[in-house]
Amino acid sequence: PEMTRHMFGNYVGSLFFLASSTLLPVIVTELAGARANAYFYIPWMMATGLQLIPQNMTTALTAEVAHDRTKMSAYCAGMLKQIMRLLLPLVALIFVGAPWILGLFGPDYAREGTPLLRLLPLAIIPNVFVSLYISIARVQSRMKSIMVVQGIICILSLGMSYWLLK
């Protein structure tokens, strides 16, 4: 029963995460059109790639802490430091270089996508703490917390995006 509860919580949380990360380009296309989505999608994919840093590192943290829970505080602090050490320079580089990065796809992409390419990586910084929270919740078998957090993020991100694009 414990394993089933754990798997169910992770599964529902993962569905919310997938919905919020994969449906947004569909919403943009539907509400703003294919042209707008073309300018949206490249910054979105770059930010999604950056998001893999905290996700993968906190997954490793989950495995480490599950092995030795007495070191959870030290591991969390160390992991947060390592994630920020990797992520902050990349975010700064993308923020500064956004027009040139998107310029590789053409001047229209640079003009239309630069503000978004600057904002999306900045949004990953607070999301590091969400990833860390979910990792800790997994170790502590607080599956309801994972579902609630991922559900709120999904509803807010898709709902607000829909509302802002309308």
Side-chain angles (χ1 to χ4, degrees):
E2 178 68 23
M3 181 63 99
T4 302
R5 189 176 70 80
H6 194 82
M7 287 173 37
F8 178 77
N10 267 320
Y11 179 71
V12 172
S14 294
L15 287 178
F16 281 132
F17 172 76
L18 284 172
S20 64
S21 62
T22 58
L23 289 179
L24 195 53
V26 176
I27 291 172
V28 170
T29 302
E30 184 63 31
L31 296 178
R35 184 176 179 90
N37 191 50
Y39 300 133
F40 167 80
Y41 198 71
I42 292 171
W44 180 251
M45 289 309 299
M46 288 180 186
T48 301
L50 277 180
Q51 180 59 36
L52 292 174
I53 294 171
Q55 283 178 346
N56 289 331
M57 291 185 78
T58 57
T59 299
L61 174 70
T62 301
E64 248 344 273
V65 172
H67 178 70
D68 187 0
R69 291 183 186 203
T70 62
K71 296 181 180 176
M72 182 162 40
S73 293
Y75 285 159
C76 288
M79 184 63 61
L80 186 59
K81 186 177 179 180
Q82 290 290 8
I83 291 171
M84 292 302 187
R85 198 179 287 169
L86 283 170
L87 199 58
L88 291 176
L90 290 171
V91 168
L93 182 67
I94 291 171
F95 189 87
V96 171
W100 295 283
I101 294 168
L102 290 173
L104 296 172
F105 299 96
D108 290 344
Y109 284 91
R111 184 181 64 255
E112 297 292 330
T114 293
L116 185 62
L117 186 55
R118 287 183 169 154
L119 288 175
L120 288 175
L122 288 174
I124 293 170
I125 295 168
N127 200 34
V128 168
F129 297 97
V130 174
S131 295
L132 188 59
Y133 174 82
I134 289 170
S135 179
I136 293 167
R138 278 193 182 111
V139 170
Q140 296 173 340
S141 294
R142 293 185 291 124
M143 306 320 292
K144 185 176 179 181
S145 296
I146 293 171
M147 292 185 295
V148 168
V149 167
Q150 295 285 45
I152 289 170
I153 290 170
C154 178
I155 291 166
L156 286 176
S157 64
L158 294 179
M160 289 179 69
S161 297
Y162 181 86
W163 179 70
L164 290 169
L165 285 168
K166 269 304 218 180

